[in-house]
């Protein structure tokens, strides 16, 4: 069944004003990648989930962690992931070609620039730019994450996710333990730690914005104080001896 027909159109409901549709931002792309990795790495439920269930869980994770005021449906998330997966897979293949050349003295940045140039040259669109480097940086270190989702000739989305429930139960029954399962746990822990570090960085950025806003408010307050002093000095210096009646009384009262 085509994924667009199988997924329910569920919208985010929030108490704050949201903006709907439009291109995904870098922050939304990163959150979508995080959601896909988190749900697809669920060893207990991985391969036993139907597409609708899987993307519903991805959408749920996205909603719970969305701080950007956007509204996205399950179909829009799956469509964006398909684009991310396609482009990062293509770029990963180009990077592999560059790495295979064993260029002596080539830095990582030089290799990255060469892969970008190959991407541009191989694209049918003129002056094409690789727009998902921020996603590729995360996915390139995640085994089985790039090219996990593709589309066949019938445009039917095919999902592959690691370790199903039966395999998981079998592994737990092994008396001598299982190196593959321990490796999975280590990767899961590493991913959780990185996510925690990203959360800490987000809080640091938010605190810095608050500090900058407070400084700006203090500067505006000081400018207002200086303007008030300047106006008061002008009034105090005003000569009233040549004034008559109410005009003189007005400025005398201001001086007082």
């Amino acid at each position: 069944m085509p994924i667009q027909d199988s997924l329910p159109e569920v919208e985010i409901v929030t108490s704050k004003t949201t903006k709907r549709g439009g291109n995904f931002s870098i922050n939304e792309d990163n959150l979508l990648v995080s959601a896909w990795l988190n749900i697809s790495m669920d060893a207990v439920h991985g391969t036993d989930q139907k597409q609708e269930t899987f993307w519903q869980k991805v959408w749920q994770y996205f909603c719970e962690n969305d701080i950007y005021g956007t509204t996205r449906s399950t179909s829009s998330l799956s469509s964006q992931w398909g684009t991310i997966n396609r482009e990062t897979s293509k770029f990963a293949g180009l990077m592999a070609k560059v790495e295979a050349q064993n260029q002596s003295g080539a830095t990582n940045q030089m290799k990255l620039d060469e892969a970008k140039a190959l991407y541009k040259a191989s694209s049918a669109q003129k002056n094409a730019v690789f727009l998902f480097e921020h996603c590729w940086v995360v996915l390139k270190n995640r085994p089985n994450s790039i090219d996990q989702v593709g589309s066949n000739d019938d445009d039917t989305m095919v999902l592959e996710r690691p370790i199903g429930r039966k395999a998981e139960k079998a592994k737990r029954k092994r008396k001598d333990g299982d190196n593959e399962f321990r490796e999975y746990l280590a990767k899961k822990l590493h991913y959780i730690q990185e996510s925690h570090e990203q959360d800490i960085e987000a809080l640091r950025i938010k605190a810095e914005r608050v500090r900058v806003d407070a400084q700006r408010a203090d500067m505006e307050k000081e400018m207002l104080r200086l303007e008030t002093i300047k106006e008061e000095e002008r009034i105090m210096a005003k000569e009233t001896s040549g004034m008559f009646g109410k005009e003189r009384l007005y400025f005398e009262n201001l001086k007082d």
Side-chain angles (χ1 to χ4, degrees):
M1 178 184 295
I3 196 167
Q4 295 296 340
D5 296 335
S6 62
L7 295 176
E9 290 291 332
V10 185
E11 299 297 335
I12 301 172
V13 179
T14 67
S15 59
K16 60 184 180 181
T17 303
T18 62
K19 62 181 181 181
R20 175 185 174 85
N23 294 332
F24 277 65
S25 65
I26 290 178
N27 287 331
E28 286 184 290
D29 283 343
N30 287 334
L31 178 56
L32 175 55
V33 169
S34 177
W36 193 92
L37 287 172
N38 185 72
I39 302 304
S40 66
M41 289 179 69
D42 187 340
V44 176
H45 301 292
T47 55
D48 293 325
Q49 301 177 83
K50 294 182 179 179
Q51 293 183 23
E52 299 96 318
T53 303
F54 175 77
W55 281 107
Q56 180 67 19
K57 290 181 178 180
V58 171
W59 174 84
Q60 223 167 5
Y61 183 100
F62 188 96
C63 293
E64 290 171 356
N65 295 275
D66 182 16
I67 60 173
Y68 311 113
T70 54
T71 301
R72 301 294 181 184
S73 65
T74 50
S75 59
S76 67
L77 293 181
S78 64
S79 176
Q80 181 69 1
W81 169 256
T83 302
I84 291 173
N85 182 261
R86 183 183 67 250
E87 297 306 312
T88 53
S89 297
K90 177 181 177 181
F91 190 76
L94 296 174
M95 276 298 296
K97 289 183 180 179
V98 173
E99 294 283 356
Q101 293 176 3
N102 285 326
Q103 302 177 28
S104 177
T107 64
N108 290 335
Q109 185 58 51
M110 291 169 64
K111 294 177 182 178
L112 186 61
D113 291 340
E114 185 174 348
K116 289 180 180 179
L118 289 174
Y119 179 93
K120 183 177 181 180
S122 63
S123 177
Q125 184 178 357
K126 186 177 181 181
N127 297 324
V129 178
F130 181 51
L131 300 176
F132 297 101
E133 182 177 348
H134 53 287
C135 298
W136 173 78
V137 168
V138 177
L139 294 171
K140 69 185 178 72
N141 295 322
R142 300 292 191 276
N144 301 324
S145 62
I146 294 181
D147 206 24
Q148 291 276 359
V149 176
S151 57
N152 57 23
D153 294 336
D154 298 327
D155 200 26
T156 301
M157 298 301 290
V158 180
L159 274 73
E160 299 177 9
R161 292 183 288 282
I163 312 179
R165 182 181 301 149
K166 294 180 181 179
E168 178 65 15
K169 290 180 179 178
K171 289 177 184 296
R172 291 177 178 176
K173 291 180 180 179
R174 294 178 184 175
K175 296 180 179 179
D176 59 346
D178 192 304
N179 291 333
E180 184 179 348
F181 182 61
R182 286 197 296 269
E183 183 180 358
Y184 162 77
L185 291 179
K187 290 175 181 177
K188 181 73 171 179
L189 178 60
H190 180 67
Y191 171 71
I192 292 173
Q193 289 173 338
E194 285 193 347
S195 297
H196 179 64
E197 291 173 357
Q198 291 176 358
D199 291 341
I200 292 177
E201 178 63 12
L203 289 174
R204 186 193 67 78
I205 293 174
K206 184 176 182 180
E208 180 64 15
R209 288 176 178 171
V210 171
R211 186 186 67 81
V212 171
D213 289 341
Q215 286 183 339
R216 184 182 292 111
D218 289 341
M219 289 178 61
E220 291 175 352
K221 188 183 295 183
E222 180 62 15
M223 290 176 63
L224 179 60
R225 188 183 70 83
L226 293 175
E227 286 293 329
T228 301
I229 292 175
K230 183 178 179 181
E231 179 62 13
E232 289 176 348
E233 289 177 347
R234 186 187 69 81
I235 292 172
M236 292 300 295
K238 196 165 188 67
E239 179 61 51
T240 60
S241 60
M243 298 179 184
F244 299 94
K246 292 183 178 180
E247 183 183 12
R248 182 173 184 177
L249 181 61
Y250 171 78
F251 280 100
E252 289 296 335
N253 286 336
L254 285 179
K255 289 184 179 183
D256 290 342

